[in-house]
Amino acid sequence: MKGDNYVVVEFLSRSSNESFARMAAAGFAAQLDPTLDELGDIKTAVSEAVTNAIVHAYPDRLGKIVMKMRILDGQLLEIAIRDWGCGIDDVEQARQPLYTTGGEERSGMGFTIMESFTDRLQVKSVMGKGTTVTMRKRISQRLSAKR
């Protein structure tokens, strides 16, 4: 797929940057004229992915997070969030609802939420080298844009 537009954003794994990532994703997605529901889905999925990187990838230190966003043909938004943290030992287990390594205060629903708010979720991880979460969401074309 040929991309129509892209941006790359890098930030530290500070919890205060989670809201920045949400807004950056919403601002980039705005060029596709998403509905409020679609925008909410994007912001929620990004929030979960970035929070996972902050909490799980770098549990005891600050690290780098990179968010790459691309507009692909057919109103398709792709968002990849990468960290260089500790990695995930068993990705399939981590994707199971209610599984968490973050303690009692964590719900273990991050990947489940990302999957339910996007059309496609891919998780790649290498222990000691980090994780990349790639999400795709097709944005419906509004009737006014079809004319």
Side-chain angles (χ1 to χ4, degrees):
M1 287 184 176
K2 180 181 153 262
D4 289 335
N5 195 10
Y6 74 93
V7 296
V8 178
V9 181
E10 180 180 317
F11 51 92
L12 280 176
S13 61
R14 293 187 187 279
S15 59
S16 58
N17 286 333
E18 177 270 331
S19 61
F20 166 76
R22 285 170 54 97
M23 297 286 87
F28 184 73
Q31 65 193 290
L32 292 172
D33 195 24
T35 65
L36 288 177
D37 285 342
E38 289 169 332
L39 208 50
D41 291 352
I42 292 161
K43 289 166 63 177
T44 299
V46 166
S47 178
E48 291 295 329
V50 170
T51 297
N52 272 2
I54 292 168
V55 171
H56 299 291
Y58 304 109
D60 54 2
R61 64 184 171 98
L62 287 176
K64 177 171 75 169
I65 298 172
V66 170
M67 181 169 65
K68 295 180 180 180
M69 298 176 282
R70 295 191 307 164
I71 303 294
L72 302 172
D73 293 338
Q75 293 280 108
L76 190 61
L77 174 67
E78 179 181 84
I79 301 173
I81 296 170
R82 180 175 182 197
D83 66 67
W84 285 261
C86 61
I88 301 170
D89 185 36
D90 185 339
V91 171
E92 288 310 309
Q93 183 180 31
R95 289 183 70 161
Q96 296 302 310
L98 305 179
Y99 178 81
T100 185
T101 59
E104 289 181 18
E105 69 278 359
R106 298 289 163 194
S107 69
M109 295 297 290
F111 287 129
T112 302
I113 291 168
M114 285 179 245
E115 199 163 32
S116 67
F117 283 93
T118 61
D119 298 315
R120 178 176 171 224
L121 173 68
Q122 181 180 36
V123 182
K124 292 182 179 178
S125 189
V126 176
M127 289 302 294
K129 297 199 184 255
T131 302
T132 301
V133 173
T134 304
M135 302 172 284
R136 285 187 174 181
K137 181 155 184 79
R138 188 166 309 282
I139 305 301
S140 59
Q141 192 169 25
R142 299 211 202 177
L143 290 176
S144 60
K146 292 180 182 177
R147 293 182 192 169

